[in-house]
Amino acid sequence: MHKHARPLLAVLLCVVLISPVMPAGARPDPGNLRPCRDAPDAWCGSVERPLDPADVAYGTIDVAFELYRAVDAGGAWSEGTIVAIEGGPGYSTRASRDYYLELFQPLLETHDLLLMDSRGTGASGAIDCPELQSYEGDYLLNVALCGSQLGGASDLYGSAFAADDLAAILDTLGIPQIDLYGDSYGTFLAQTFALRHPDRLRTLTLDASYPVEDQDPWYRDLNRAMRDAIESVCVEDLECSQKPGDPLARVDALADSLRDNPISGVGRDGDGVRHDVTVDAGMLAYLYASAAYGTTVYKELEAAGEAWLDHGDPAPLLRIAAEQTYWGDAGPVDEFSEGLYIAVICNDYPQLWDIMSPVQTRPQQYEASVATLKATDSNAFSPFTVDDWLNSPWVEYESCINWPAPGNWVPPEPTPALYPDVPTLVLAAELDSLTSPEGNGIVAGNFPNSTFVEVANSGHVAALGDVVGCAAAIVVHFVENGSPGDTSCAAEYPPVRTTNEFPATLGDVSVPAGPASSLQRQTAMAVAGTVADLFPRWHAMYGYNGVGLRGGTFKTVGSDLVDFHLKKLNWVSDLSVSGKATWDRTSGSVVATVTFTGASSGNLDISWNEWVVGGQMTVSGTIAGSSVTMEMPAP
């Protein structure tokens, strides 16, 4: 349901030309397309489409696309055409080309790849509502301003029209059928396309999907998914599973404390920038609601809560809140359009009021919906209260309250909604609280020829950027063969390794019993903890420079093989660590060579594997002048 947490950072624009209709089976003549300006391997073009097919007075819009031709296709058609649709809504699919080129690279020798910027995004007339795009001021007021700016066209950017635009592009290029892949909101548009143009599909892949029809406007399935994820992460982690009590009860205790006594202070985001933040029960609900965007919340939030409740240390909680809050604007509008995001969700998603009603009557309808929820399902968002949820930065429920009532509305699903008997793959990530496994299961049940695959220990969208490679391989096999093949690897993704504690000083570090002295073992655990603390920071960074929890700096480079250069980095306040660490995200291997000063001094070589449950780390070097060689539990 939700857009990605933050805008993508780069977009490459193509030359946009109108291509004439071509007969089925004919291959586009490069004379009718043009090489893309910044994607030299692709051909670019557009089709001119009516903004409102029922009213020519609204004019037309050019819907842009780029086509990657199969390397070995010669002068004839390739074995097939893959079409990928980006999420959001609001993102330019073509700006995300690198993700799709990487995912489908094994098939690009024999298959074409077609990417369309949906109307209102990217080079397809991106909706530019400056106040809304700025993320400044009153968001609901800015939604109203955007609706007024679009006027009667405010309901002409929905999924139904976008699906018809894609069909028109296929007609223009003479493509009879496609293998369609969608991720996040892309699955919503892909389902709409399947319902409106079922004969155009050869296969359908839905990665992180949610139902097009009969969705709960409160999205309570997302809360159920969040609860399941919190428990699952703890059960899969050796140290968390051995803690007394239930993990949800511990979240409840933290929420109770923060509801009565919120924490306010300075937290640093992933790039080390200081921000004033407040952590209350609503912010805690937001953090867990957005946990599926990365591993940080699942990995660290419980230990951060314990640092506050048990030791009065707010630093870990303030840092997580600063990192998980997006502090910028929506970015360049041709990469992501907040206006298009609103234009789609306000027309295509269920609301807590009648969308045909006048704007001035909606607050009363909304309050009535809230009252009904409290009266009939007061534990809907447990371990949070309904008020916690509604007062959190997770403001989806009211976002559309000022959006204009539609006058030319076409819903995303036709009536009746007849789901085609086309081979369909539904990928659900186990820890996804944005598009829940439950919702994915409903989608799979709607398609009569579907295969449902749950990817263990994974967050939102399984196949894109898949460092393990299993989900991506399942998608490729499905597109190539019309069936997913052996999917057993989806159950073998490594669990999230939770942080056991956030000690304030070296003397606070917990260590297991062993032959080395307490100082040596505490030092080794603190050094390893300093290195392990880097990995969640990497997920939160936009640049290459970060800071330690309690001081010091680091630099990072790399994507799959990530190098960190540490300079007097403090995870605990009285131990500064310098040196280099390398994290192989494709294998889980961690190797570090560091020196350290402060409450202890020396140098160590440390290694472990992040993917091994209950794994050990090897430690060798000197601590306080004594040589050490030992094995200890990995952090």
Side-chain angles (χ1 to χ4, degrees):
M1 126 181 183
H2 302 281
K3 64 181 183 291
H4 298 322
R6 306 168 178 105
L8 299 175
L9 300 179
V11 63
L12 303 174
L13 297 181
C14 290
V15 178
V16 180
L17 297 173
I18 298 174
S19 298
V21 176
M22 295 186 174
R27 189 172 186 80
D29 183 341
N32 296 320
L33 302 174
R34 293 292 184 269
C36 297
R37 181 183 304 164
D38 294 315
D41 294 333
W43 297 95
C44 279
S46 73
V47 294
E48 185 178 16
R49 294 283 297 155
L51 197 57
D52 183 356
D55 190 344
V56 297
Y58 283 99
T60 62
I61 186 171
D62 287 339
V63 179
F65 63 87
E66 65 187 40
L67 177 67
Y68 294 83
R69 299 177 60 177
V71 175
D72 288 344
W77 267 115
S78 64
E79 292 182 10
T81 300
I82 302 166
V83 176
I85 305 176
E86 169 64 294
Y91 284 100
S92 159
T93 296
R94 293 160 64 241
S96 300
R97 62 174 66 86
D98 289 347
Y99 288 109
Y100 303 116
L101 289 170
E102 178 183 23
L103 174 60
F104 293 111
Q105 189 277 330
L107 299 176
L108 296 185
E109 292 286 322
T110 54
H111 288 69
D112 295 329
L113 176 64
L114 176 65
L115 306 177
M116 174 190 77
D117 275 350
S118 294
R119 58 170 59 198
T121 71
S124 298
I127 296 175
D128 187 6
C129 294
E131 296 86 1
L132 199 59
Q133 195 78 6
S134 73
Y135 287 168
E136 294 180 355
D138 186 324
Y139 187 84
L140 299 185
L141 174 60
N142 291 338
V143 167
L145 291 173
C146 186
S148 296
Q149 176 182 317
L150 292 179
S154 65
D155 57 356
L156 300 180
Y157 291 89
S159 303
F161 290 150
D164 293 350
D165 293 340
L166 176 56
I169 290 174
L170 301 183
D171 290 341
T172 296
L173 296 176
I175 300 173
Q177 285 192 317
I178 58 173
D179 297 287
L180 183 57
Y181 169 90
D183 62 274
S184 195
Y185 164 73
T187 69
F188 190 96
L189 179 49
Q191 291 174 75
T192 301
F193 183 87
L195 290 169
R196 295 178 68 86
H197 304 280
D199 59 317
R200 307 307 291 265
L201 290 175
R202 177 183 170 271
T203 65
L204 177 63
T205 302
L206 304 173
D207 188 349
S209 63
Y210 51 105
V212 171
E213 57 178 341
D214 298 327
Q215 179 64 273
D216 173 14
W218 286 111
Y219 296 95
R220 282 168 282 195
D221 64 305
L222 305 189
N223 180 259
R224 292 190 289 270
M226 178 194 75
R227 291 168 55 90
D228 291 345
I230 292 170
E231 293 187 309
S232 176
V233 166
C234 191
V235 167
E236 292 287 332
D237 183 78
L238 185 63
E239 291 182 332
C240 185
S241 64
Q242 293 176 345
K243 291 181 179 180
D246 180 81
L248 287 171
R250 296 193 287 270
V251 175
D252 191 25
L254 180 59
D256 284 345
S257 174
L258 294 173
R259 193 178 298 115
D260 295 335
N261 298 289
I263 305 169
S264 293
V266 173
R268 291 181 181 266
D269 65 21
D271 298 303
V273 179
R274 295 164 60 92
H275 299 281
D276 293 327
V277 295
T278 296
V279 184
D280 55 14
M283 173 58 79
L284 186 66
Y286 165 77
L287 293 175
Y288 274 116
S290 61
Y293 284 127
T295 61
T296 299
V297 172
Y298 291 134
K299 181 178 178 67
E300 296 186 338
L301 191 49
E302 180 166 337
E306 290 174 354
W308 170 246
L309 293 177
D310 297 343
H311 306 290
D313 179 9
L317 272 176
L318 293 172
R319 178 177 66 171
I320 291 175
E323 287 182 345
Q324 298 300 115
T325 300
Y326 182 65
W327 299 98
D329 58 22
V333 72
D334 52 6
E335 298 176 13
F336 174 78
S337 167
E338 186 77 13
L340 186 279
Y341 169 71
I342 282 293
V344 171
I345 72 165
C346 294
N347 288 296
D348 286 358
Y349 291 6
Q351 306 298 331
L352 294 165
W353 51 84
D354 179 1
I355 67 169
M356 296 297 182
S357 63
V359 168
Q360 60 268 27
T361 69
R362 293 177 183 176
Q364 183 177 2
Q365 295 179 56
Y366 174 72
E367 292 302 326
S369 295
V370 172
T372 299
L373 180 70
K374 288 181 176 180
T376 61
D377 193 7
S378 61
N379 293 319
F381 305 115
S382 175
F384 304 103
T385 68
V386 172
D387 285 335
D388 290 340
W389 207 250
L390 298 182
N391 293 328
S392 78
W394 201 251
V395 295
E396 297 293 322
Y397 297 119
E398 290 184 273
S399 291
C400 296
I401 202 164
N402 291 330
W403 191 253
N408 306 287
W409 183 55
V410 177
E413 78 282 4
T415 302
L418 301 177
Y419 291 83
D421 186 17
V422 61
T424 301
L425 172 65
V426 178
L427 284 177
E430 181 188 16
L431 306 182
D432 191 352
S433 56
L434 303 171
T435 54
S436 70
E438 179 184 337
N440 277 271
I442 292 171
V443 171
N446 287 336
F447 286 90
N449 186 12
S450 68
T451 301
F452 176 82
V453 178
E454 183 170 296
V455 182
N457 303 310
S458 297
H460 189 57
V461 182
L464 295 183
D466 177 21
V467 294
V468 175
C470 168
I474 290 171
V475 170
V476 169
H477 189 281
F478 179 74
V479 171
E480 187 171 24
N481 301 285
S483 65
D486 182 3
T487 65
S488 60
C489 62
E492 299 170 0
Y493 275 62
V496 175
R497 184 187 294 276
T498 66
T499 299
N500 187 44
E501 62 178 356
F502 281 106
T505 67
L506 181 61
D508 297 325
V509 176
S510 301
V511 295
S517 70
S518 177
L519 174 63
Q520 290 174 336
R521 297 178 75 77
Q522 283 182 311
T523 300
M525 290 299 292
V527 169
T530 305
V531 173
D533 194 61
L534 294 168
F535 308 151
R537 315 287 77 77
W538 182 86
H539 284 290
M541 297 172 74
Y542 288 97
Y544 304 97
N545 300 300
V547 300
L549 175 61
R550 308 185 196 279
T553 61
F554 67 90
K555 295 183 178 180
T556 180
V557 62
S559 178
D560 289 343
L561 189 66
V562 186
D563 287 331
F564 296 93
H565 298 273
L566 293 63
K567 185 176 181 180
K568 297 181 179 179
L569 202 64
N570 289 93
W571 182 58
V572 294
S573 61
D574 54 353
L575 192 74
S576 298
V577 181
S578 301
K580 179 182 178 181
T582 299
W583 174 38
D584 188 341
R585 296 178 60 239
T586 65
S587 69
S589 170
V590 179
V591 178
T593 299
V594 298
T595 61
F596 46 92
T597 58
S600 183
S601 61
N603 59 81
L604 289 175
D605 293 324
I606 297 181
S607 63
W608 74 89
N609 193 296
E610 280 279 291
W611 290 4
V612 177
V613 177
Q616 297 286 297
M617 66 176 179
T618 60
V619 180
S620 64
T622 62
I623 298 176
S626 299
S627 296
V628 295
T629 300
M630 54 186 168
E631 284 196 353
M632 298 179 66

